[in-house]
Amino acid sequence: TPLPERGAKNPKEVARGEIIKRLYQIVRPYRWKLIIMTIAMVITVMAQMSIPLITKFIVDDVLREGNMSLVEPQLAMRLLGKLTLMIAIAYVVIGTMRVFGNGIMAWMSGRVTADLRSKLHQQMQRLTMSYHGKRESGELIGRVMNDTGELKHFLVEGVPYLFINTLSFLSIGVILLWLNPWLALFVFLPVPLLIVGGGWFWKHLVPLFHKRGNRNS
């Protein structure tokens, strides 16, 4: 649906939930790869969360001066070696899962972008000649190439970033509540300010993205 004028709000703007449903329909043929990629991301977050916890055990159970006097040096060194090995394994798991998950995501995003461009090309062939006569060629090419390129960028970098950070935030919250509820309260104090500030920031940033899209056209 063409906009009334450049930069104007689309009167038939689709709700975000509907956009996600449409996106899922495009990704649906590759849902098994999507499931595998999601599992890889979950394993990555679990490995990331284990490293600071293991470090806590090293400090509390091995390095703390009060514990060192109660534990034999050989047992302490043995425990330190086991915990250090666990951290090394966690880093190996993180690296392996990131390479594996990013590879699947790059392949999927390429296929989804190709499918979407194919559908757009078919749709453009069905439009009337008068429609093409009223539109700049750069605008039409921009819709097919630049906008789908932005979607690919979102799938490759945005989706994993959003998923991993959301899962990490929830995991950190649970761990902090388990360790010390008061500490968790102090950590979460700035969160409302971040949410309000983020909303204000994106409210001013989104129109700039629209301007950039129009300039590309």
Side-chain angles (χ1 to χ4, degrees), residues 31 58 70 83 104-105 112 155 161 171 196 198 200-201:
R31 58 184 176 274
I58 291 176
L70 300 176
L83 293 174
I104 295 177
M105 189 71 253
V112 168
L155 291 174
Y161 179 85
S171 302
V196 173
W200 178 86
F201 179 76

Side-chain angles (χ1 to χ4, degrees), residues 191-206:
V191 171
L193 295 175
L194 292 173
I195 294 174
V196 173
W200 178 86
F201 179 76
W202 282 101
K203 183 179 179 182
H204 291 77
L205 193 62
V206 167

Side-chain angles (χ1 to χ4, degrees), residues 3 5 10 13 17 23 25-26 78 86 93 95 108 126 147 157 169 180 189-190 193 198 203 207 209 213 215-216:
L3 297 176
E5 57 185 8
N10 191 343
E13 187 172 351
L23 188 59
Q25 293 299 323
I26 299 173
R78 195 178 303 166
M86 291 172 65
V93 170
M108 276 186 55
R126 295 190 184 100
D147 290 3
E157 299 186 10
F169 178 80
N180 191 323
L189 275 178
L193 295 175
K203 183 179 179 182
F209 282 123
R215 292 291 177 88
N216 283 335

Side-chain angles (χ1 to χ4, degrees), residues 128-155:
T128 60
M129 292 299 294
S130 60
Y131 180 89
H132 287 280
K134 294 177 182 177
R135 297 286 178 273
E136 299 173 7
S137 58
E139 181 181 357
L140 299 176
I141 295 172
R143 289 288 172 255
V144 176
M145 301 302 295
N146 294 334
D147 290 3
T148 51
E150 290 291 337
L151 176 62
K152 183 178 181 180
H153 176 76
F154 170 72
L155 291 174

Side-chain angles (χ1 to χ4, degrees), residues 2-216:
L3 297 176
E5 57 185 8
R6 285 183 180 272
K9 186 177 178 65
N10 191 343
K12 297 183 179 180
E13 187 172 351
V14 182
R16 291 181 182 177
E18 191 65 30
I19 293 175
I20 294 175
K21 288 180 182 178
R22 290 185 183 183
L23 188 59
Y24 175 73
Q25 293 299 323
I26 299 173
V27 179
R28 192 174 180 181
Y30 317 107
R31 58 184 176 274
W32 286 110
K33 288 187 177 292
L34 183 63
I35 292 172
I36 295 172
M37 185 198 67
T38 304
I39 294 173
M41 288 183 181
V42 171
I43 295 174
T44 301
V45 172
M46 291 175 63
Q48 286 176 335
M49 294 299 101
S50 68
I51 293 174
L53 270 179
I54 297 171
T55 305
K56 172 190 177 301
F57 293 137
I58 291 176
V59 173
D60 292 348
D61 300 339
V62 179
L63 301 180
R64 185 179 289 180
E65 186 176 354
N67 292 337
M68 287 296 291
S69 60
L70 300 176
V71 181
E72 294 182 10
Q74 292 181 350
L75 293 176
M77 291 302 296
R78 195 178 303 166
L79 179 59
L80 179 61
K82 290 180 180 179
L83 293 174
T84 305
L85 180 62
M86 291 172 65
I87 290 178
I89 292 173
Y91 276 113
V92 172
V93 170
I94 291 171
T96 304
M97 289 297 103
R98 279 184 175 174
V99 171
F100 181 69
N102 290 344
I104 295 177
M105 189 71 253
W107 184 89
M108 276 186 55
S109 63
R111 293 306 311 162
V112 168
T113 305
D115 293 345
L116 189 58
R117 284 175 177 170
S118 177
K119 290 183 179 181
L120 283 170
H121 187 260
Q122 292 174 10
Q123 182 64 25
M124 288 177 65
Q125 287 181 319
R126 295 190 184 100
L127 297 173
T128 60
M129 292 299 294
S130 60
Y131 180 89
H132 287 280
K134 294 177 182 177
R135 297 286 178 273
E136 299 173 7
S137 58
E139 181 181 357
L140 299 176
I141 295 172
R143 289 288 172 255
V144 176
M145 301 302 295
N146 294 334
D147 290 3
T148 51
E150 290 291 337
L151 176 62
K152 183 178 181 180
H153 176 76
F154 170 72
L155 291 174
V156 172
E157 299 186 10
V159 171
Y161 179 85
L162 182 64
F163 182 83
I164 289 176
N165 281 277
T166 302
L167 193 58
S168 299
F169 178 80
L170 296 175
S171 302
I172 291 170
V174 172
I175 293 172
L176 282 176
L177 289 171
W178 171 60
L179 292 175
N180 191 323
W182 285 106
L183 177 63
L185 178 63
F186 281 109
V187 170
F188 293 146
L189 275 178
V191 171
L193 295 175
L194 292 173
I195 294 174
V196 173
W200 178 86
F201 179 76
W202 282 101
K203 183 179 179 182
H204 291 77
L205 193 62
V206 167
L208 298 179
F209 282 123
H210 288 304
K211 283 187 177 181
R212 187 186 69 172
N214 288 331
R215 292 291 177 88
N216 283 335

